Amino acid sequence: MEIDGSSTPWRGMEIESAGTPLRPFARALPSPGPNELLIAVSACGVCRTDLHVLDGEIPAHYPIVPGHEVVGHVIALGDDVTGFTIGERVGVPWLGHTCGTCPYCRSQRENLCDTPEFTGCTRDGGYATHIVADAHYCFLIPDIFSDVEAAPLLCAGLIGWRALRLAGDGHTIGLYGFGAAAHIIAQVAIWQGRTVFAFTRDGDTESQDFARSLGCAWAGSSEDAPPEPLDAALLFAPVGALVPLALKATRKGGRVVCAGIHMSDIPSFPYADLWGERHILSVANLTREDGTSFLDIAARAAIRTVTQTFRLDRANEALACLRAGALNGAAVLVPNQEAG
């Protein structure tokens, strides 16, 4: 039951039903159950997946508090929690729980679990002052990053990392859609010694300049041919029409990795564009090992996340900016940010 927010400690923004704007709520503070943490949220990144939840394009449990790039401090431990202490800074990602018993979980592919739970989709997320999370799926955050800097790493970074790993050892990497995920993983790939080309919407010179400022060797329109064929193309924009374009830009034996959880339909294309042992792959969620390995890499590579902060009550505005492509880098909600 919702009650007067002036006397309740748990505040946030939630989606009542698909297609409706986020609305504020105020409730009694939840208690962590067995193996759960109660976390005071310091920052929560705004992800394109939140738009897919808002628009009803992926299954969700409404009403739902969105947000799965959550950074905060542990303020209470549920029964049987090990490995965490009060006051520690932790991150909460998209993967919120898995069954541990299905064939995928038993074969170290928990990202494909048959009965998963997802933060900000099927369990309440981080567009709030507090969140309850399964301790088994939380990560300690490296000290090198501030709360705001760390938030985009929890999904944009993790999904980019999983996509880059699926790309294999190729030297020349193309990134289609240069937003939150691409600006992080471009830095990782360049740190690894790879050559990175950035593809944006036609005429988006601001994003192209941004990509070059981070070390990309070339930046241009998604319609343009790159300076040389790609070993792999990573697609972060949820636009199916980019798949045939990326295939044309990819050399024989190369890979096109679709990194979004939702994408518009892929149009037909000639078999000749796929021939030559080219591969089309998709990224599904993440594993906990993706999280621990990526956060280690991000710290060692001193990744710089570019962010724009919003107050919690401006979550609808942040999502609108994301939808319009009006952000360089990532939007981050800060619950304790002062009005002004």
Side-chain angles (χ1 to χ4, degrees):
M1 178 182 296
E2 295 190 6
I3 53 180
D4 179 13
S6 64
S7 60
T8 53
W10 186 31
R11 296 178 295 102
M13 301 288 287
E14 68 178 359
I15 304 170
E16 182 177 15
S17 59
T20 61
L22 276 69
R23 64 176 188 179
F25 71 85
R27 302 190 184 106
L29 196 65
S31 298
N35 297 305
E36 291 184 331
L37 306 175
L38 176 61
I39 300 163
V41 177
S42 302
C44 182
V46 178
C47 178
R48 185 164 294 277
T49 300
D50 300 335
L51 283 176
H52 297 318
V53 172
L54 178 66
D55 295 341
E57 292 172 329
I58 57 177
H61 295 171
Y62 304 106
I64 189 72
V65 179
H68 54 274
E69 298 178 330
V70 190
V71 177
H73 291 81
V74 177
I75 61 172
L77 307 173
D79 292 341
D80 303 322
V81 169
T82 59
F84 294 97
T85 59
I86 301 295
E88 278 189 310
R89 189 171 66 146
V90 297
V92 185
W94 170 250
L95 187 67
H97 182 78
T98 58
C99 71
T101 59
C102 73
Y104 299 108
C105 287
R106 294 200 308 270
S107 59
Q108 299 182 327
R109 293 179 292 169
E110 64 184 6
N111 60 305
L112 302 177
C113 176
D114 284 332
T115 54
E117 294 180 12
F118 298 119
T119 309
C121 183
T122 62
R123 56 186 298 154
D124 283 333
Y127 282 28
T129 56
H130 299 80
I131 182 174
V132 172
D134 187 326
H136 295 110
Y137 298 83
C138 295
F139 305 115
L140 295 175
I141 301 296
D143 291 339
I144 188 175
F145 302 111
S146 70
D147 297 337
V148 169
E149 290 169 337
L153 302 177
L154 272 302
C155 184
L158 283 175
I159 291 300
W161 175 239
R162 188 167 182 85
L164 185 62
R165 294 171 103 178
L166 286 178
D169 297 327
H171 177 76
T172 304
I173 306 295
L175 306 180
Y176 285 76
F178 205 82
H183 98 278
I184 293 171
I185 213 61
Q187 296 175 67
V188 173
I190 292 165
W191 177 77
Q192 292 176 331
R194 308 191 202 212
T195 297
V196 178
F197 300 148
F199 297 82
T200 73
R201 284 182 286 195
D202 190 36
D204 188 358
T205 57
E206 184 177 0
S207 292
Q208 292 165 17
D209 290 343
F210 178 44
R212 285 188 286 266
S213 76
L214 293 176
C216 292
W218 175 89
S221 167
S222 298
E223 305 283 341
D224 295 339
E228 62 182 271
L230 307 174
D231 294 314
L234 311 185
L235 275 58
F236 297 108
V239 181
L242 292 175
V243 173
L245 293 174
L247 276 173
K248 282 182 174 293
T250 302
R251 70 175 78 250
K252 290 183 289 186
R255 300 179 182 184
V256 174
V257 182
C258 302
I261 194 171
H262 176 83
M263 177 180 276
S264 60
D265 289 344
I266 300 172
S268 62
F269 54 86
Y271 175 66
D273 291 345
L274 179 63
W275 189 79
E277 298 192 351
R278 294 174 176 86
H279 304 252
I280 300 175
L281 307 168
S282 70
V283 169
N285 312 313
L286 68 139
T287 67
R288 284 171 283 181
E289 191 280 329
D290 290 325
T292 54
S293 61
F294 172 67
L295 289 172
D296 174 65
I297 287 287
R300 289 196 282 129
I303 296 303
R304 177 175 66 93
T305 56
V306 177
T307 59
Q308 180 177 344
T309 61
F310 293 79
R311 296 195 317 268
L312 184 58
D313 62 358
R314 292 175 58 202
N316 283 307
E317 179 184 344
L319 285 167
C321 288
L322 175 60
R323 191 188 297 276
L327 299 166
N328 266 342
V332 179
L333 301 177
V334 182
N336 61 359
Q337 184 171 330
E338 294 296 328

